[in-house]
Amino acid sequence: MRFVVVTIFPEFFPSPLAVGLLGKAVESGLVQVETVQLRDFTHDRHQTVDDTSFGGGPGMVMRVEPLVDALEHVRASHKVARTVLLSPRGRRFDQACAREYAGHGSICLVCGRYEGVDERLIEGGFVDEELSIGDYVLNGGEVAALAVIECCSRLVPGVVGKEESVVQDSFFDGLLDHPHYTRPREFRGLAVPEVLLSGNHAEIDRWRRRQSLLATAARRPDLMARLTLSEDDLRLLQP
Ligand code: 6GU
């Protein structure tokens, strides 16, 4: 999978992309991330990417010309399937969205900064959509872009060692993950649930499924409401 990131802070990206599973994926070429410096698409001496807001008010607005020039450069030279503006006004990023992007194979992520970007970037159809990683405010889209890159990369075959660990993750099937335990069997009076030590794998699978269902119902009623539960699931939820 290939990501092209348009940003005024390319230096934001190298170290998160060099460590752990993502680091290995980048090293092996399974995931490619290229940054494009937005300032390279300005024409004034100070490489100005922002300006004051028409109508007044605090904060600066990202200028549309360097953004469009950068995107036209990306389109001409990188062949990206989709262009996404990271913005708190966007559609909420979730696992389904990650699957969709991973299916596209390549994506251009545009990092907004300041108070926002000139709306004509969106009105003019220069981006396919706006995307937010949650209902809180960041200084800019760079952290959000990294979240999208990491999440989509996990879905690229070969990036996460065990395919099943992706399948079992929280949200993969719309449920939260079950709890996990490792040694010691007892810690400060806290014991590991007996069933996990039983060696009865059918029983363990049932217990885990039930814990996932209970956690989702208790913590995320919004997720629960979207599920269609099987007969088995409904039985597991009986007290
Ligand atoms: Cl994509 N950008 C900014 N600036 N803030 C955010 C966000 C994005 N997603 C959540 N908060």
Side-chain angles (χ1 to χ4, degrees):
M1 174 153 202
R2 216 152 45 81
F3 300 91
V4 181
V5 184
V6 176
T7 172
I8 56 166
F9 293 127
E11 65 272 31
F12 218 100
F13 295 87
S15 63
L17 295 174
V19 297
L21 285 180
L22 196 50
K24 285 210 185 79
V26 169
E27 203 187 339
S28 73
L30 283 173
V31 170
Q32 273 175 278
V33 182
E34 187 171 330
T35 52
V36 170
Q37 170 56 273
L38 181 63
R39 290 194 196 280
D40 292 346
F41 297 87
T42 56
H43 304 286
D44 63 311
R45 203 156 57 81
H46 296 106
Q47 301 192 295
T48 314
V49 292
D50 62 330
D51 204 341
T52 52
S53 185
F54 277 127
M60 303 291 275
V61 176
M62 286 184 96
R63 299 172 49 226
V64 69
E65 300 114 300
L67 282 164
V68 167
D69 285 354
L71 291 183
E72 286 177 345
H73 161 80
V74 167
R75 259 181 224 133
S77 57
H78 295 79
K79 267 203 164 178
V80 287
R82 231 171 146 67
T83 302
V84 174
L85 173 67
L86 279 326
S87 149
R89 297 180 69 204
R91 145 157 89 128
R92 181 88 66 84
F93 184 62
D94 61 13
Q95 196 66 32
C97 185
R99 244 169 273 160
E100 186 186 314
Y101 289 172
H104 287 312
S106 64
I107 184 160
C108 175
L109 298 168
V110 185
C111 301
R113 276 266 148 185
Y114 309 105
E115 304 304 302
V117 308
D118 191 309
E119 188 67 15
R120 290 170 292 186
L121 186 72
I122 299 121
E123 289 169 356
F126 300 105
V127 296
D128 296 309
E129 69 172 327
E130 294 175 85
L131 189 73
S132 163
I133 61 164
D135 294 340
Y136 41 80
V137 180
L138 302 168
N139 291 334
E142 283 78 7
V143 164
L146 279 169
V148 171
I149 291 169
E150 180 162 316
C151 185
C152 295
S153 295
R154 292 177 55 77
L155 302 176
V156 173
V159 170
V160 175
K162 287 198 177 122
E163 211 64 30
E164 47 181 327
S165 68
V166 171
V167 173
Q168 287 175 7
D169 276 339
S170 279
F171 303 116
F172 192 87
D173 55 3
L175 287 174
L176 300 182
D177 200 4
H178 56 77
H180 299 265
Y181 299 87
T182 186
R183 278 183 284 246
R185 283 180 176 218
E186 196 184 303
F187 173 73
R188 300 194 182 179
L190 302 166
V192 172
E194 202 60 45
V195 58
L196 298 178
L197 310 172
S198 68
N200 183 338
H201 289 286
E203 196 62 38
I204 290 169
D205 286 348
R206 252 195 315 277
W207 182 87
R208 286 179 167 164
R209 182 76 187 176
R210 180 160 188 272
Q211 293 298 317
S212 281
L213 290 163
L214 289 174
T216 309
R219 300 170 185 206
R220 295 293 304 276
D222 58 314
L223 291 181
M224 205 65 189
R226 283 196 261 156
L227 292 172
T228 32
L229 298 179
S230 68
E231 297 276 308
D232 282 346
D233 286 339
L234 291 170
R235 221 168 302 124
L236 283 173
L237 282 169
Q238 312 268 306

